[in-house]
Amino acid sequence: MSDSTSPTVPPSAPPSLSPETIGPRELVMRVMPMPADANGNGDIFGGWIMAQVDLAGSVLPARISRGRIATVAVNEFVFKQPVSVGDLLSFYAQVTRIGRTSITVHVEVFAERNPANPHVVKVTEANLTYVAIDREGKSRVFGQQP
């Protein structure tokens, strides 16, 4: 699945840190769940999906903070459809808010199903907040050296 309307920012581009900035939606990760990730009903564990969303959601904050970050809140998490073994999951992230020490990201997950006759469905979306931290794990201002 391609998203030609979502431009990407190369990692070397300097981030814009103004609080009103809302960044573009970017494809940040793709993964295919395996049988070990499934529950007894054959659906992928919700906790596995949550972990993948957390990883995908951290990509843009890590780039912007130029140092360590930590997940501080899962503000909203919605499972829209079950995920199955063999679905190709695409994770799109978009920065929705940049504060002094924290950044909020919206993550959408789409599943590409049935390779013989592919169709794409949104399976999950979430809003997560990350905080920039220093070497001691204390919050720091974005743009400061960790």
Side-chain angles (χ1 to χ4, degrees), residues 75-92:
N75 307 311
E76 179 182 29
F77 209 104
V78 180
F79 295 103
K80 295 183 167 288
Q81 299 222 0
V83 174
S84 302
V85 172
D87 284 351
L88 177 60
L89 301 180
S90 297
F91 296 75
Y92 290 86

Side-chain angles (χ1 to χ4, degrees), residues 32-76:
M32 185 176 290
M34 303 304 286
D37 306 316
N39 61 26
N41 297 321
D43 298 320
I44 301 305
F45 282 113
W48 182 88
I49 297 167
M50 291 179 87
Q52 303 307 306
V53 167
D54 191 21
L55 289 170
S58 71
V59 170
L60 300 178
R63 184 185 301 158
I64 292 167
S65 74
R66 299 187 186 251
R68 289 180 64 191
I69 59 162
T71 309
V72 70
V74 177
N75 307 311
E76 179 182 29

